[in-house]
Amino acid sequence: MGTLRSLVPPRRIVTPPPPRAGERAPALPGDLDLGGRPALIAFLRHAGCPFAEATLRELRAAAAAAPDVAVVAVSHATPEGARAWCERAGGAGGVLLLDDPDRGAYATWGLGRSTLRHFAGARSLRAVARQARRGIRNTRPDGTRWQAAG
């Protein structure tokens, strides 16, 4: 998805409240077998987003530190775009990358569309500048900038 297209708001999807501590987690896309392990699950911003890359770095560190925990990153980019971005960002490194291009799992987990202020407001832009100082920059986007992460 091109840069300009990533700025077009996607269709709204119905989102229930996020799961609460102690509740059974909603399903994830695909036939995911975690082998009975506990899981750390992160829903990423668009592929190419500096916050998604920072999250991926943290997830890789978590996977290395706790091999008994399944570490999962869910992406709403195209499968090809997510894989290419992941490789450019240093690879998965023990993180299982799941595809959710229709954003159905995002919605099931209570993650809907964000606001323009959320992804383009002053606070977010300052945070993008901090990421750039760490060497993490916006790259070609795949997905929508409007999808909330979690």
Side-chain angles (χ1 to χ4, degrees):
M1 184 179 288
T3 300
L4 292 178
R5 190 164 171 209
S6 73
L7 295 170
V8 175
R11 66 177 172 75
R12 287 203 183 271
I13 48 180
V14 176
T15 56
R20 298 174 72 157
E23 290 181 346
R24 182 168 176 81
L28 288 169
D31 294 327
L32 183 63
D33 181 9
L34 301 178
R37 298 180 294 165
L40 168 62
I41 300 167
F43 289 83
L44 302 174
R45 298 282 312 265
H46 70 278
C49 174
F51 301 115
E53 184 173 337
T55 300
L56 181 61
R57 288 181 180 193
E58 291 178 22
L59 293 172
R60 284 193 305 247
D68 55 327
V69 175
V71 180
V72 180
V74 183
S75 170
H76 65 275
T78 63
E80 302 80 20
R83 299 293 175 289
W85 164 80
C86 185
E87 288 306 311
R88 286 191 309 271
V95 176
L96 177 60
L97 187 60
L98 292 182
D99 302 315
D100 185 30
D102 69 357
R103 302 178 301 124
Y106 280 80
T108 302
W109 284 67
L111 299 168
R113 208 166 79 176
S114 67
T115 64
L116 180 62
R117 182 176 180 200
H118 173 79
F119 76 81
R123 183 175 170 212
S124 291
L125 295 178
R126 283 191 301 273
V128 166
R130 281 193 301 276
Q131 295 297 341
R133 287 191 292 278
R134 293 180 54 210
I136 302 174
R137 292 180 170 73
N138 253 318
T139 61
R140 186 177 187 278
D142 192 318
T144 176
R145 296 173 192 262
W146 292 84
Q147 178 59 54

